[in-house]
């Protein structure tokens, strides 16, 4: 009997030690973030925004993951515009498991346990219809960047023009990038060719950025470069009216803490940055913008808490411009 007590005591001690090690590992891999230097001072060019009748933004959530006190999301923002709708990012493909099946086992395991946690249960076109979108009438898809969990949903949509810069296309078609599983070859076949970019920037300052492009020419959707996470990462301002504006920043930060506290990505996600030094500079720049324009809703692609602040009724809901009906 005494021997049994000894073994039970040892088992309890071992379990406690394992829990401590697990907690320490989780802290180091995900919760610990490094503070970053502040961005250099930069003037702000205030946006001029006129409410547009019929303009709305809709949250089309395709996948969620909740665990270890973390709530993540993936999917799209559908911008309803009188001149034709815009889809921002597309989430994972419905065929995610098949698309990664030819990768080596360890890489496949990594992809399934990171990006694969956000796989959709319902195809993107069906979800779009639930917010009044028509997948056959999308004017453009713009990708914040070409990683598999942002471009995969293209496989579930009809063929549609995809807006990407030359830098991002060159990255997407790089065999080394595809071999690491960042870009799936099947997804890349839905992109423009590398020598025919569909997005470029003009030297027109916007907010705290030195380059920009106004997609519709009316100030409703303005795109700026966020080079770092990938060479051609972009951020998209959606200006419904002067009081309701969002800035979708893709994976420039992985959660609100990044731009609020000016901290880098977790160790677990850091290797996804193509240029870590430049990526950290973008985080600092987003922190600077947040300080200057605190009312602007900065939305990381996977930061569910940020979406819920702009879309208070939750996923599959829309926020419309306050322009007169």
């Amino acid at each position: 009997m005494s021997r049994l007590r000894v073994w039970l005591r040892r088992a309890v001690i071992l379990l406690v030690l394992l829990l401590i090690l697990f907690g320490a590992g989780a802290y180091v891999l995900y919760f610990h973030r490094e503070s970053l230097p502040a961005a250099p001072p930069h003037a702000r060019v205030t946006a001029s925004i006129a409410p547009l009748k019929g303009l709305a933004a809709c949250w089309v959530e395709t996948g969620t993951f909740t665990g270890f006190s973390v709530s993540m999301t993936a999917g799209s923002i559908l911008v309803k515009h009188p001149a034709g709708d815009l889809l921002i990012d597309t989430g994972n493909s419905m065929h995610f498991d098949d698309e990664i099946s030819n990768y080596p086992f360890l890489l496949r395991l990594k992809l399934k346990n990171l990006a694969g946690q956000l796989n959709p249960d319902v195809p993107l076109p069906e979800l779009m219809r639930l917010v009044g979108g028509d997948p056959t009438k999308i004017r453009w898809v713009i990708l914040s960047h070409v990683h598999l969990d942002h471009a995969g949903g293209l496989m579930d949509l009809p063929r549609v023009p995809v807006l990407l810069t030359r830098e991002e296309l060159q990255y997407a078609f790089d065999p080394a990038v595809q071999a690491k599983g960042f870009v799936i070859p099947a997804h890349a076949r839905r992109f423009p060719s590398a020598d025919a970019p569909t997005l470029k920037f003009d030297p027109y300052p916007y907010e705290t950025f030195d380059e920009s492009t106004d997609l519709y020419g009316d100030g409703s959707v303005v795109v700026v470069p966020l080079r770092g996470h990938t060479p051609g990462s972009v951020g998209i301002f959606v200006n419904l009216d002067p009081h309701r504006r969002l800035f979708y920043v893709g994976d420039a930060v992985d959660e609100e803490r990044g731009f609020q506290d000016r901290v880098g990505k977790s160790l677990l996600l850091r290797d996804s940055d193509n240029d870590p030094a430049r990526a950290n500079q973008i985080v600092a720049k987003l922190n600077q913008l947040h300080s200057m324009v605190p009312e602007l809703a900065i939305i990381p692609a996977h930061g569910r808490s940020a979406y819920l602040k702009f879309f208070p009724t939750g996923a599959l809901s829309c926020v419309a411009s306050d322009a007169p009906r």
Side-chain angles (χ1 to χ4, degrees):
M1 193 68 174
S2 60
R3 185 175 295 177
L4 178 61
R5 287 198 190 97
V6 170
W7 281 109
L8 285 174
R9 191 179 299 116
R10 288 176 179 174
V12 169
I13 292 171
L14 179 61
L15 179 61
V16 170
L17 288 174
L18 288 173
L19 288 173
I20 291 172
L21 287 172
F22 178 80
Y27 174 78
V28 170
L29 288 174
Y30 188 82
F31 294 102
H32 175 68
R33 311 293 174 100
E34 293 183 1
S35 295
L36 302 175
H42 198 292
R44 179 191 172 208
V45 177
T46 307
S48 177
I49 300 164
L52 182 66
K53 182 178 178 181
L55 184 66
C58 306
W59 177 15
V60 185
E61 185 176 53
T62 60
T64 59
F65 171 75
T66 302
F68 310 113
S69 303
V70 176
S71 184
M72 299 180 70
T73 184
S76 306
I77 291 178
L78 174 66
V79 180
K80 296 180 179 178
H81 193 286
D85 293 350
L86 171 73
L87 193 64
I88 302 173
D89 276 354
T90 65
N92 275 336
S93 165
M94 288 291 292
H95 315 285
F96 182 91
D97 289 343
D98 292 335
E99 291 168 353
I100 67 169
S101 61
N102 291 327
Y103 285 107
F105 172 75
L106 289 178
L107 178 54
R108 201 164 66 244
L109 187 66
K110 176 185 175 182
L111 294 174
K112 283 178 68 73
N113 284 283
L114 290 176
Q117 294 294 325
L118 296 167
N119 279 350
D121 294 320
V122 178
L124 179 56
E126 291 185 30
L127 296 173
M128 287 180 60
R129 292 187 185 97
L130 294 177
V131 295
D134 186 341
T136 67
K137 295 183 179 178
I138 302 171
R139 179 170 176 176
W140 298 302
V141 169
I142 186 168
L143 300 179
S144 63
H145 61 294
V146 292
H147 283 172
L148 72 168
D149 55 326
H150 296 258
L154 288 172
M155 306 303 293
D156 303 318
L157 293 169
R159 286 275 181 177
V160 61
V162 181
L163 303 181
L164 290 167
T165 65
R166 185 179 300 278
E167 302 130 298
E168 194 69 356
L169 287 167
Q170 290 172 342
Y171 172 82
F173 289 106
D174 184 338
V177 170
Q178 294 188 5
K180 292 177 182 177
F182 290 130
V183 176
I184 302 296
H187 300 174
R189 289 194 282 273
R190 292 293 187 101
F191 302 160
S193 63
D195 59 356
T198 47
L199 181 67
K200 64 177 182 178
F201 295 106
D202 300 310
Y204 301 143
Y206 187 85
E207 291 292 351
T208 57
F209 298 90
D210 296 324
E211 301 172 273
S212 66
T213 186
D214 185 339
L215 283 190
Y216 291 93
D218 57 15
S220 61
V221 179
V222 178
V223 186
V224 297
L226 296 179
R227 305 175 184 102
H229 180 60
T230 64
S233 286
V234 300
I236 301 103
F237 288 89
V238 179
N239 303 310
L240 299 177
D241 55 55
H243 309 292
R244 279 174 286 196
R245 304 177 63 210
L246 69 85
F247 184 30
Y248 182 86
V249 297
D251 286 356
V253 291
D254 55 338
E255 58 178 67
E256 290 178 286
R257 184 181 168 193
F259 65 81
Q260 290 173 344
D261 298 340
R262 203 175 71 239
V263 292
K265 289 189 176 74
S266 67
L267 183 62
L268 186 65
L269 300 175
R270 209 174 296 166
D271 74 337
S272 67
D273 285 338
N274 179 72
D275 185 336
R278 206 171 190 184
N280 286 341
Q281 291 170 3
I282 290 296
V283 175
K285 195 169 185 65
L286 294 178
N287 170 259
Q288 181 184 66
L289 178 64
H290 175 62
S291 299
M292 289 181 171
V293 197
E295 67 275 14
L296 174 66
I298 298 178
I299 301 183
H302 301 302
R304 202 167 195 273
S305 60
Y307 281 87
L308 287 169
K309 290 175 183 176
F310 193 82
F311 299 95
T313 57
L316 299 178
S317 66
C318 301
V319 177
S321 165
D322 68 359
R325 297 285 187 265

